[in-house]
Coordinates of all heavy atoms in Angstrom, one line a residue:
M1 N 0.8 -1.2 0.0 CA 0.0 0.0 0.0 C 0.8 1.3 0.0 O 2.0 1.3 0.6 CB -0.9 0.0 1.2 CG -2.3 -0.6 1.1 SD -3.3 -0.4 2.5 CE -3.3 -2.1 3.0
T2 N 0.4 2.3 -0.6 CA 1.0 3.6 -0.6 C 0.5 4.5 0.4 O -0.7 4.7 0.6 CB 0.8 4.3 -2.0 OG1 1.3 3.3 -3.1 CG2 1.5 5.6 -2.1
K3 N 1.5 4.9 1.2 CA 1.1 5.9 2.3 C 0.6 7.2 1.6 O 1.1 7.6 0.5 CB 2.3 6.2 3.2 CG 2.7 5.1 4.0 CD 3.9 5.5 4.8 CE 4.3 4.2 5.6 NZ 5.6 4.4 6.3
V4 N -0.4 7.9 2.2 CA -0.8 9.2 1.7 C -0.6 10.2 2.9 O -0.7 9.9 4.1 CB -2.3 9.2 1.3 CG1 -2.4 8.3 0.1 CG2 -3.2 8.8 2.4
T5 N -0.4 11.4 2.4 CA -0.2 12.6 3.3 C -1.2 13.6 3.2 O -1.4 14.0 1.9 CB 1.2 13.2 3.2 OG1 2.1 12.1 3.5 CG2 1.4 14.3 4.2
T6 N -1.9 14.1 4.1 CA -2.8 15.2 4.0 C -2.1 16.5 4.4 O -1.4 16.5 5.5 CB -4.0 15.1 4.9 OG1 -4.8 13.9 4.6 CG2 -5.0 16.3 4.8
I7 N -2.0 17.5 3.5 CA -1.4 18.8 3.9 C -2.5 19.8 3.8 O -3.1 19.9 2.7 CB -0.3 19.1 2.9 CG1 0.8 18.0 3.0 CG2 0.4 20.5 3.2 CD1 2.0 18.1 2.0
N8 N -2.7 20.5 4.9 CA -3.7 21.5 4.9 C -3.1 22.8 5.4 O -2.5 22.9 6.5 CB -4.8 21.2 6.0 CG -6.0 22.0 5.8 OD1 -6.1 23.0 5.0 ND2 -7.0 21.7 6.6
T9 N -3.2 23.9 4.5 CA -2.7 25.1 4.8 C -3.9 26.0 5.3 O -4.9 26.1 4.5 CB -2.1 25.8 3.6 OG1 -1.0 25.0 3.1 CG2 -1.5 27.2 3.9
L10 N -3.8 26.6 6.4 CA -4.9 27.4 6.9 C -4.4 28.8 7.3 O -3.2 29.0 7.7 CB -5.4 26.8 8.3 CG -5.9 25.2 8.2 CD1 -4.7 24.3 8.8 CD2 -7.2 25.1 9.0
V11 N -5.3 29.8 7.2 CA -5.1 31.1 7.7 C -6.0 31.2 8.9 O -7.2 31.1 8.8 CB -5.3 32.2 6.6 CG1 -5.1 33.5 7.2 CG2 -4.3 32.0 5.4
L12 N -5.4 31.6 10.1 CA -6.1 31.7 11.3 C -6.4 33.1 11.6 O -5.6 34.0 11.3 CB -5.4 31.0 12.5 CG -5.1 29.6 12.3 CD1 -4.3 29.0 13.5 CD2 -6.3 28.7 12.0
K13 N -7.4 33.3 12.4 CA -7.7 34.7 12.9 C -6.6 34.9 14.0 O -6.4 34.0 14.8 CB -9.1 34.7 13.5 CG -10.2 34.6 12.4 CD -11.6 34.6 13.0 CE -12.5 34.3 11.9 NZ -13.8 34.1 12.4
P14 N -5.9 36.0 14.0 CA -4.7 36.2 14.9 C -5.0 36.0 16.4 O -4.1 35.4 17.1 CB -4.4 37.7 14.6 CG -4.9 38.0 13.3 CD -6.2 37.2 13.1
E15 N -6.2 36.2 16.8 CA -6.5 36.2 18.3 C -6.7 34.7 18.6 O -6.9 34.4 19.8 CB -7.7 37.0 18.6 CG -9.0 36.6 18.0 CD -9.2 37.2 16.6 OE1 -8.4 37.7 15.9 OE2 -10.4 37.2 16.3
H16 N -6.8 33.8 17.7 CA -7.1 32.4 18.0 C -6.0 31.4 17.7 O -6.1 30.2 17.8 CB -8.4 32.0 17.2 CG -9.5 32.7 17.7 ND1 -10.1 32.4 18.9 CD2 -10.4 33.5 17.0 CE1 -11.2 33.2 19.1 NE2 -11.4 33.8 17.9
V17 N -4.8 31.9 17.4 CA -3.6 31.0 16.9 C -3.3 30.1 18.1 O -3.2 28.9 17.9 CB -2.4 31.8 16.4 CG1 -1.2 30.9 16.2 CG2 -2.9 32.5 15.1
A18 N -3.0 30.6 19.2 CA -2.5 29.8 20.4 C -3.6 28.7 20.7 O -3.3 27.6 21.0 CB -2.2 30.7 21.6
E19 N -4.9 29.2 20.7 CA -6.0 28.3 21.1 C -6.1 27.1 20.1 O -6.4 26.0 20.4 CB -7.3 29.1 21.3 CG -8.4 28.3 21.8 CD -9.7 29.2 22.0 OE1 -9.6 30.4 21.8 OE2 -10.7 28.7 22.4
Y20 N -5.9 27.5 18.7 CA -6.1 26.5 17.7 C -5.0 25.4 17.9 O -5.2 24.2 17.8 CB -5.9 27.1 16.4 CG -6.0 26.2 15.2 CD1 -7.1 25.9 14.6 CD2 -4.8 25.5 14.8 CE1 -7.2 24.9 13.6 CE2 -4.9 24.6 13.7 CZ -6.0 24.4 13.1 OH -6.0 23.5 12.1
I21 N -3.7 26.0 18.1 CA -2.6 25.0 18.2 C -2.7 24.1 19.5 O -2.6 22.9 19.4 CB -1.3 25.8 18.4 CG1 -1.0 26.4 17.0 CG2 -0.1 24.9 18.8 CD1 0.2 27.3 17.0
A22 N -3.2 24.6 20.6 CA -3.5 23.8 21.8 C -4.5 22.8 21.5 O -4.4 21.6 21.9 CB -3.8 24.7 23.0
S23 N -5.6 23.2 20.9 CA -6.7 22.3 20.7 C -6.3 21.2 19.7 O -6.6 20.0 20.0 CB -7.9 23.0 20.1 OG -9.0 22.2 19.8
Q24 N -5.5 21.5 18.7 CA -5.0 20.4 17.7 C -4.1 19.5 18.4 O -4.1 18.3 18.2 CB -4.4 21.1 16.5 CG -5.4 21.6 15.5 CD -6.2 20.5 14.9 OE1 -7.2 20.2 15.4 NE2 -5.8 20.1 13.7
R25 N -3.2 20.0 19.3 CA -2.3 19.2 20.0 C -3.1 18.1 20.8 O -2.7 16.9 20.8 CB -1.4 20.0 20.9 CG -0.3 19.1 21.6 CD 0.4 19.9 22.6 NE 1.1 21.2 22.1 CZ 2.3 21.2 21.6 NH1 3.0 20.1 21.6 NH2 2.9 22.3 21.0
E26 N -4.1 18.6 21.5 CA -4.9 17.7 22.3 C -5.7 16.6 21.5 O -5.7 15.5 21.8 CB -5.9 18.5 23.2 CG -6.7 17.7 24.1 CD -7.7 18.6 24.9 OE1 -7.3 19.7 25.4 OE2 -8.8 18.1 25.0
F27 N -6.3 17.2 20.4 CA -7.0 16.3 19.5 C -6.1 15.2 18.9 O -6.6 14.1 18.8 CB -7.7 17.1 18.5 CG -8.5 16.2 17.5 CD1 -9.8 15.6 17.9 CD2 -8.1 16.0 16.2 CE1 -10.4 14.8 17.1 CE2 -8.7 15.2 15.4 CZ -9.9 14.6 15.8
T28 N -4.9 15.6 18.4 CA -4.1 14.6 17.7 C -3.6 13.5 18.5 O -3.4 12.4 18.2 CB -3.0 15.3 16.9 OG1 -2.2 16.1 18.0 CG2 -3.4 16.2 15.8
S29 N -3.5 13.8 19.8 CA -3.1 12.8 20.8 C -4.1 11.7 20.9 O -4.0 10.5 21.0 CB -2.8 13.4 22.2 OG -1.7 14.2 22.2
A30 N -5.4 12.2 20.9 CA -6.6 11.2 21.0 C -6.8 10.5 19.7 O -7.0 9.3 19.7 CB -7.8 12.0 21.3
I31 N -6.8 11.2 18.6 CA -7.1 10.5 17.3 C -6.0 9.6 16.9 O -6.2 8.6 16.1 CB -7.4 11.6 16.1 CG1 -8.1 10.9 15.0 CG2 -6.1 12.3 15.7 CD1 -9.6 10.6 15.3
S32 N -4.8 9.7 17.3 CA -3.7 8.8 17.0 C -3.8 7.5 17.6 O -3.2 6.4 17.2 CB -2.4 9.4 17.4 OG -2.0 10.7 16.6
A33 N -4.6 7.4 18.7 CA -4.8 6.1 19.3 C -5.9 5.3 18.7 O -6.0 4.1 19.1 CB -5.2 6.4 20.8
V34 N -6.7 5.8 17.8 CA -7.8 5.0 17.2 C -7.2 4.0 16.2 O -6.1 4.3 15.6 CB -8.9 5.9 16.5 CG1 -9.5 6.8 17.5 CG2 -8.4 6.5 15.3
P35 N -7.8 2.8 16.0 CA -7.3 1.9 15.0 C -7.3 2.5 13.7 O -8.2 3.2 13.2 CB -8.2 0.7 15.1 CG -9.0 0.9 16.4 CD -8.9 2.3 16.8
N36 N -6.3 2.3 12.9 CA -6.1 2.8 11.5 C -6.1 4.3 11.5 O -6.4 5.0 10.5 CB -7.2 2.3 10.6 CG -7.0 0.8 10.4 OD1 -5.9 0.2 10.3 ND2 -8.1 0.1 10.5
G37 N -5.7 5.0 12.7 CA -5.6 6.4 12.7 C -4.4 6.9 12.0 O -3.7 6.1 11.3
P38 N -4.1 8.1 12.1 CA -2.9 8.7 11.4 C -1.7 8.0 12.0 O -1.6 7.7 13.2 CB -2.9 10.2 11.7 CG -4.1 10.4 12.5 CD -4.8 9.2 12.8
L39 N -0.6 7.9 11.1 CA 0.6 7.4 11.6 C 1.3 8.5 12.3 O 2.1 8.1 13.3 CB 1.5 7.0 10.3 CG 1.0 5.9 9.5 CD1 1.8 5.7 8.2 CD2 1.0 4.6 10.3
G40 N 1.1 9.6 12.1 CA 1.6 10.8 12.8 C 1.5 12.1 12.0 O 0.9 12.1 10.9
G41 N 2.0 13.1 12.4 CA 1.9 14.4 11.8 C 2.8 15.5 12.3 O 3.5 15.4 13.4
R42 N 2.7 16.6 11.7 CA 3.4 17.9 12.2 C 2.4 19.0 12.0 O 1.7 19.1 11.0 CB 4.6 18.1 11.3 CG 5.8 17.1 11.7 CD 7.0 17.4 10.9 NE 8.0 16.5 11.2 CZ 9.2 16.4 10.7 NH1 9.5 17.2 9.7 NH2 10.1 15.5 11.1
L43 N 2.6 20.0 12.8 CA 1.9 21.3 12.6 C 3.0 22.4 12.6 O 3.8 22.5 13.5 CB 0.9 21.5 13.7 CG 0.0 22.7 13.5 CD1 -1.4 22.4 14.1 CD2 0.6 23.9 14.1
Y44 N 3.0 23.1 11.5 CA 3.9 24.3 11.4 C 3.1 25.6 11.5 O 2.0 25.7 11.0 CB 4.6 24.2 10.0 CG 5.4 23.0 9.7 CD1 4.9 21.9 9.2 CD2 6.7 22.9 10.1 CE1 5.6 20.8 8.9 CE2 7.5 21.9 9.7 CZ 6.9 20.7 9.2 OH 7.7 19.6 8.9
K45 N 3.8 26.5 12.2 CA 3.3 27.9 12.3 C 4.2 28.9 11.5 O 5.4 28.8 11.8 CB 3.1 28.2 13.8 CG 2.5 29.7 13.9 CD 2.4 29.9 15.5 CE 3.7 30.6 15.8 NZ 3.7 31.4 16.9
S46 N 3.6 29.7 10.7 CA 4.5 30.6 10.0 C 5.1 31.6 11.0 O 4.6 31.9 12.1 CB 3.7 31.4 9.0 OG 2.8 32.3 9.6
I47 N 6.3 32.1 10.6 CA 7.0 33.1 11.5 C 6.1 34.3 11.7 O 6.1 34.9 12.8 CB 8.4 33.5 10.7 CG1 9.3 32.3 10.6 CG2 9.0 34.6 11.5 CD1 9.7 31.7 11.8
Q48 N 5.3 34.7 10.7 CA 4.4 35.9 10.9 C 3.2 35.5 11.8 O 2.6 36.5 12.3 CB 3.7 36.2 9.5 CG 4.8 36.8 8.5 CD 5.6 35.6 7.8 OE1 5.3 34.5 7.9 NE2 6.6 36.1 7.1
G49 N 2.9 34.2 12.0 CA 2.0 33.9 13.1 C 0.6 33.4 12.7 O 0.1 32.7 13.5
T50 N 0.1 33.7 11.6 CA -1.4 33.4 11.4 C -1.5 32.2 10.4 O -2.6 31.7 10.1 CB -2.1 34.7 10.9 OG1 -1.6 35.1 9.6 CG2 -2.2 35.7 11.9
K51 N -0.5 31.9 9.7 CA -0.6 30.7 8.7 C -0.2 29.5 9.5 O 0.9 29.5 10.1 CB 0.2 31.0 7.5 CG -0.1 30.0 6.4 CD 0.6 30.2 5.2 CE -0.2 31.2 4.3 NZ 0.3 31.4 3.0
I52 N -0.9 28.4 9.2 CA -0.6 27.1 9.9 C -0.6 26.1 8.7 O -1.4 26.1 7.8 CB -1.8 26.7 10.8 CG1 -1.9 27.6 12.1 CG2 -1.6 25.2 11.3 CD1 -0.6 27.5 13.0
V53 N 0.3 25.1 8.8 CA 0.4 24.0 7.9 C 0.3 22.7 8.7 O 1.1 22.5 9.6 CB 1.7 24.0 7.0 CG1 1.7 22.8 6.1 CG2 1.8 25.3 6.1
L54 N -0.8 22.0 8.5 CA -1.0 20.8 9.2 C -0.8 19.6 8.3 O -1.4 19.5 7.2 CB -2.5 20.7 9.7 CG -2.9 19.5 10.5 CD1 -2.0 19.3 11.8 CD2 -4.4 19.7 10.8
V55 N 0.1 18.7 8.7 CA 0.6 17.6 7.9 C 0.3 16.3 8.6 O 0.8 16.1 9.7 CB 2.1 17.6 7.6 CG1 2.6 16.5 6.7 CG2 2.5 18.9 6.9
S56 N -0.5 15.4 8.0 CA -0.8 14.1 8.7 C -0.6 13.0 7.7 O -1.0 13.1 6.5 CB -2.3 14.1 9.1 OG -2.6 15.2 9.9
Q57 N 0.0 11.9 8.1 CA 0.4 10.8 7.2 C -0.5 9.6 7.7 O -0.6 9.3 8.9 CB 1.8 10.5 7.2 CG 2.2 9.4 6.2 CD 3.7 9.3 6.1 OE1 4.3 8.8 7.1 NE2 4.2 9.5 4.9
F58 N -1.0 8.8 6.6 CA -1.8 7.6 6.8 C -1.1 6.5 6.1 O -0.5 6.7 5.1 CB -3.1 7.9 6.3 CG -3.9 9.0 7.1 CD1 -3.6 10.4 6.5 CD2 -4.6 8.9 8.1 CE1 -4.2 11.4 7.2 CE2 -5.2 10.0 8.8 CZ -5.0 11.2 8.3
D59 N -1.5 5.2 6.6 CA -1.0 4.1 5.9 C -1.6 3.9 4.5 O -0.8 3.3 3.6 CB -1.4 2.8 6.7 CG -0.4 2.3 7.5 OD1 0.9 2.5 7.3 OD2 -0.7 1.6 8.6
S60 N -2.7 4.4 4.2 CA -3.3 4.2 2.9 C -4.4 5.3 2.7 O -4.8 6.0 3.7 CB -3.9 2.8 2.8 OG -5.0 2.7 3.8
L61 N -4.8 5.4 1.6 CA -6.0 6.3 1.3 C -7.3 5.8 2.0 O -8.0 6.6 2.5 CB -6.3 6.3 -0.2 CG -7.5 7.2 -0.7 CD1 -7.2 8.7 -0.2 CD2 -7.6 7.2 -2.2
A62 N -7.4 4.5 2.1 CA -8.6 3.9 2.9 C -8.5 4.3 4.4 O -9.5 4.7 4.9 CB -8.6 2.4 2.8
A63 N -7.3 4.3 5.0 CA -7.2 4.8 6.4 C -7.5 6.1 6.5 O -8.2 6.6 7.4 CB -5.7 4.4 6.8
Q64 N -7.0 7.0 5.5 CA -7.3 8.4 5.6 C -8.8 8.7 5.5 O -9.4 9.5 6.2 CB -6.5 9.2 4.5 CG -6.6 10.8 4.6 CD -7.7 11.3 3.9 OE1 -8.4 10.7 3.0 NE2 -8.0 12.6 4.1
T65 N -9.5 8.0 4.5 CA -10.9 8.2 4.4 C -11.6 7.7 5.6 O -12.6 8.4 6.0 CB -11.3 7.4 3.1 OG1 -10.6 7.8 2.0 CG2 -12.8 7.5 2.8
A66 N -11.2 6.7 6.3 CA -11.9 6.2 7.5 C -11.8 7.3 8.6 O -12.8 7.6 9.3 CB -11.3 5.0 8.0
V67 N -10.6 7.9 8.8 CA -10.4 8.9 9.8 C -11.3 10.2 9.4 O -11.9 10.7 10.3 CB -8.9 9.3 9.9 CG1 -8.8 10.6 10.7 CG2 -8.2 8.3 10.6
M68 N -11.4 10.5 8.2 CA -12.1 11.7 7.7 C -13.7 11.5 8.0 O -14.4 12.5 8.2 CB -12.0 11.9 6.2 CG -10.6 12.5 5.9 SD -10.1 13.9 6.8 CE -11.1 15.1 6.2
G69 N -14.1 10.2 8.1 CA -15.5 9.9 8.4 C -15.8 9.8 9.9 O -17.0 9.5 10.3
R70 N -14.8 9.9 10.7 CA -15.1 9.7 12.2 C -15.8 11.0 12.8 O -15.5 12.1 12.5 CB -13.8 9.6 12.9 CG -13.1 8.2 12.5 CD -11.9 7.9 13.4 NE -12.3 7.6 14.8 CZ -12.6 6.4 15.3 NH1 -12.6 5.3 14.5 NH2 -13.1 6.3 16.5
P71 N -16.8 10.7 13.6 CA -17.5 11.8 14.2 C -16.6 12.7 15.1 O -16.9 13.9 15.2 CB -18.6 11.1 15.1 CG -18.2 9.7 15.2 CD -17.2 9.4 14.1
E72 N -15.5 12.1 15.7 CA -14.7 13.1 16.5 C -14.0 14.1 15.6 O -13.8 15.2 16.1 CB -13.5 12.2 17.2 CG -14.0 11.1 18.0 CD -14.0 9.7 17.3 OE1 -14.7 9.6 16.2 OE2 -13.4 8.7 17.8
L73 N -13.7 13.7 14.4 CA -13.0 14.7 13.5 C -14.0 15.8 13.1 O -13.7 16.9 13.1 CB -12.4 14.0 12.3 CG -11.8 15.0 11.3 CD1 -10.6 15.7 12.0 CD2 -11.2 14.2 10.1
A74 N -15.2 15.3 12.9 CA -16.2 16.3 12.4 C -16.5 17.2 13.5 O -16.7 18.5 13.3 CB -17.6 15.6 12.0
A75 N -16.5 16.8 14.8 CA -16.7 17.7 16.0 C -15.6 18.6 16.1 O -15.7 19.7 16.4 CB -16.9 16.8 17.2
Q76 N -14.3 18.1 15.9 CA -13.1 19.1 16.0 C -13.1 20.1 15.0 O -12.9 21.3 15.3 CB -11.8 18.2 15.9 CG -10.6 18.9 16.0 CD -10.3 19.5 17.3 OE1 -11.0 19.3 18.3 NE2 -9.2 20.1 17.4
I77 N -13.5 19.8 13.7 CA -13.6 20.8 12.7 C -14.7 21.8 13.0 O -14.3 23.1 12.9 CB -13.9 20.1 11.4 CG1 -12.7 19.2 10.9 CG2 -14.3 21.1 10.2 CD1 -13.0 18.3 9.7
E78 N -15.8 21.4 13.5 CA -16.8 22.4 13.8 C -16.3 23.2 15.0 O -16.6 24.5 15.0 CB -18.1 21.7 14.2 CG -18.9 21.3 13.0 CD -19.2 22.5 12.0 OE1 -19.7 23.5 12.4 OE2 -18.8 22.3 10.9
K79 N -15.7 22.7 16.0 CA -15.1 23.4 17.2 C -14.1 24.5 16.7 O -14.2 25.7 17.2 CB -14.5 22.5 18.1 CG -13.7 23.2 19.2 CD -13.1 22.1 20.1 CE -12.2 22.7 21.2 NZ -11.5 21.7 22.0
L80 N -13.3 24.2 15.7 CA -12.2 25.1 15.3 C -12.7 26.1 14.1 O -11.9 27.0 13.8 CB -11.0 24.3 14.9 CG -10.3 23.5 16.0 CD1 -9.2 22.7 15.5 CD2 -9.9 24.4 17.2
R81 N -13.8 25.7 13.5 CA -14.2 26.6 12.4 C -14.2 28.1 12.7 O -13.8 28.9 11.8 CB -15.6 26.2 11.9 CG -16.0 26.8 10.6 CD -17.3 26.2 10.1 NE -17.4 24.8 10.0 CZ -17.0 24.1 9.1 NH1 -16.4 24.6 8.0 NH2 -17.1 22.8 9.0
P82 N -14.6 28.6 13.9 CA -14.6 30.0 14.1 C -13.2 30.6 14.1 O -13.0 31.8 14.1 CB -15.3 30.1 15.4 CG -16.0 28.9 15.6 CD -15.3 27.9 14.9
F83 N -12.2 29.8 14.3 CA -10.8 30.3 14.4 C -10.2 30.5 13.0 O -9.1 31.1 12.9 CB -9.9 29.3 15.1 CG -10.3 29.0 16.6 CD1 -9.8 28.0 17.3 CD2 -11.4 29.7 17.2 CE1 -10.2 27.6 18.5 CE2 -11.8 29.4 18.5 CZ -11.3 28.3 19.2
V84 N -10.8 29.9 12.0 CA -10.1 29.8 10.7 C -10.7 30.8 9.7 O -11.9 30.9 9.5 CB -10.3 28.4 10.1 CG1 -9.7 28.2 8.8 CG2 -9.6 27.4 11.2
E85 N -9.8 31.5 9.0 CA -10.3 32.4 7.9 C -10.4 31.6 6.6 O -11.2 31.9 5.8 CB -9.3 33.6 7.8 CG -9.4 34.6 9.0 CD -8.6 35.8 8.8 OE1 -8.0 36.0 7.7 OE2 -8.5 36.5 9.7
S86 N -9.4 30.7 6.4 CA -9.4 29.9 5.1 C -8.6 28.7 5.3 O -7.8 28.5 6.3 CB -8.8 30.7 3.9 OG -7.4 30.9 4.1
S87 N -8.9 27.6 4.5 CA -8.4 26.3 4.7 C -8.3 25.7 3.3 O -9.3 25.8 2.6 CB -9.3 25.5 5.6 OG -8.7 24.1 5.6
S88 N -7.2 25.1 3.0 CA -7.0 24.4 1.7 C -6.4 23.0 1.8 O -5.1 23.0 1.6 CB -6.3 25.3 0.6 OG -5.1 25.7 1.2
P89 N -7.1 22.0 2.2 CA -6.4 20.7 2.2 C -6.4 20.0 0.9 O -7.1 20.2 0.0 CB -7.5 19.9 3.1 CG -8.8 20.6 2.8 CD -8.5 22.1 2.5
A90 N -5.4 19.1 0.9 CA -5.1 18.3 -0.3 C -4.4 17.0 0.1 O -3.7 17.0 1.1 CB -4.3 19.0 -1.3
L91 N -4.6 15.9 -0.7 CA -3.9 14.7 -0.4 C -2.7 14.6 -1.3 O -2.7 15.0 -2.5 CB -4.8 13.5 -0.8 CG -5.9 13.3 0.3 CD1 -6.8 12.2 -0.2 CD2 -5.2 12.8 1.6
Y92 N -1.6 14.0 -0.8 CA -0.3 13.9 -1.5 C 0.2 12.4 -1.4 O 0.0 11.8 -0.3 CB 0.7 14.8 -1.1 CG 0.3 16.3 -1.3 CD1 -0.5 17.0 -0.4 CD2 0.7 16.9 -2.5 CE1 -0.8 18.3 -0.5 CE2 0.3 18.3 -2.6 CZ -0.5 18.9 -1.7 OH -0.8 20.2 -1.9
E93 N 1.0 12.0 -2.4 CA 1.8 10.8 -2.2 C 3.3 11.3 -2.3 O 3.5 12.3 -3.0 CB 1.6 9.8 -3.4 CG 0.3 9.2 -3.4 CD 0.0 8.4 -4.7 OE1 0.7 8.6 -5.7 OE2 -0.7 7.4 -4.6
E94 N 4.1 10.7 -1.6 CA 5.6 11.1 -1.6 C 6.2 10.7 -2.9 O 6.1 9.7 -3.4 CB 6.3 10.4 -0.5 CG 7.8 11.0 -0.3 CD 8.4 10.4 0.9 OE1 7.8 10.2 2.0 OE2 9.6 10.1 0.8
A95 N 6.9 11.7 -3.4 CA 7.7 11.5 -4.7 C 9.1 11.2 -4.3 O 9.7 10.3 -4.9 CB 7.6 12.8 -5.5
F96 N 9.7 11.9 -3.3 CA 11.1 11.6 -2.9 C 11.4 12.4 -1.7 O 10.7 13.3 -1.4 CB 12.1 11.8 -4.0 CG 12.4 13.3 -4.2 CD1 13.5 13.9 -3.5 CD2 11.7 13.9 -5.2 CE1 13.7 15.3 -3.7 CE2 12.0 15.3 -5.4 CZ 13.0 15.9 -4.7
T97 N 12.4 11.9 -0.9 CA 12.8 12.6 0.4 C 14.3 12.7 0.1 O 15.0 11.9 -0.5 CB 12.5 11.7 1.5 OG1 11.1 11.6 1.6 CG2 13.0 12.5 2.8
Y98 N 14.9 13.8 0.7 CA 16.4 14.0 0.6 C 16.8 14.4 2.0 O 16.1 14.9 2.9 CB 16.8 14.9 -0.4 CG 16.5 16.4 -0.2 CD1 17.3 17.2 0.5 CD2 15.2 16.9 -0.5 CE1 17.1 18.5 0.8 CE2 14.8 18.2 -0.1 CZ 15.8 19.0 0.4 OH 15.5 20.3 0.8
G99 N 18.2 14.2 2.3 CA 18.8 14.6 3.5 C 18.2 13.9 4.7 O 17.8 12.8 4.6
G100 N 18.2 14.5 5.8 CA 17.9 14.0 7.1 C 16.4 14.2 7.4 O 15.9 13.9 8.6
F101 N 15.5 14.6 6.4 CA 14.2 14.9 6.8 C 13.4 13.5 7.1 O 13.6 12.6 6.3 CB 13.5 15.5 5.6 CG 12.0 16.0 5.9 CD1 12.0 17.3 6.4 CD2 11.0 15.3 5.5 CE1 10.7 17.8 6.7 CE2 9.7 15.8 5.9 CZ 9.5 17.1 6.4
R102 N 12.7 13.5 8.1 CA 11.9 12.2 8.5 C 10.5 12.6 8.6 O 10.1 13.6 8.9 CB 12.4 11.7 9.8 CG 13.9 11.1 9.7 CD 14.4 10.4 10.9 NE 14.9 11.5 11.7 CZ 15.0 11.5 13.1 NH1 14.7 10.3 13.7 NH2 15.6 12.3 13.7

């Protein structure tokens, strides 16, 4: 199976950046424990502070689809919606890696 990665670039309302990050940190700890959940992920915050890049990796497209259908994720999205100005998620397959990036 081919692993898939979800990369979502979000622009947050400045007054909600810290709250968004804290909520995502808590949520990812919980969702990582579910069967066929994400393998892991990273959250990046722009130096300017309001742009976030959320990267999550899954064993397969089927595993990613299953997580996207979970009620916990739908609830988390609704909870965070007021913090977000824009969001642009997309699915990717790795083409190559170089250097020490893991």
Side-chain angles (χ1 to χ4, degrees):
M1 270 187 248
T2 301
K3 292 179 184 169
V4 298
T5 302
T6 302
I7 301 175
N8 191 359
T9 302
L10 304 103
V11 177
L12 303 179
K13 296 175 183 172
E15 66 273 18
H16 293 294
V17 173
E19 190 176 357
Y20 178 92
I21 292 171
S23 182
Q24 282 296 85
R25 182 186 306 268
E26 182 180 320
F27 177 75
T28 56
S29 293
I31 198 74
S32 294
V34 302
N36 297 317
L39 297 173
R42 290 183 178 174
L43 190 145
Y44 297 91
K45 182 182 88 158
S46 68
I47 300 298
Q48 296 79 10
T50 60
K51 189 176 277 189
I52 296 288
V53 177
L54 180 59
V55 180
S56 303
Q57 190 172 61
F58 301 85
D59 264 332
S60 64
L61 182 57
Q64 189 270 347
T65 301
V67 168
M68 293 305 293
R70 294 190 67 90
E72 303 98 305
L73 181 60
Q76 179 71 357
I77 291 169
E78 281 306 307
K79 174 182 172 183
L80 297 179
R81 190 176 308 277
F83 305 166
V84 177
E85 289 185 9
S86 67
S87 174
S88 54
L91 285 172
Y92 296 87
E93 294 176 335
E94 184 175 322
F96 73 91
T97 301
Y98 71 94
F101 192 86
R102 292 185 273 160

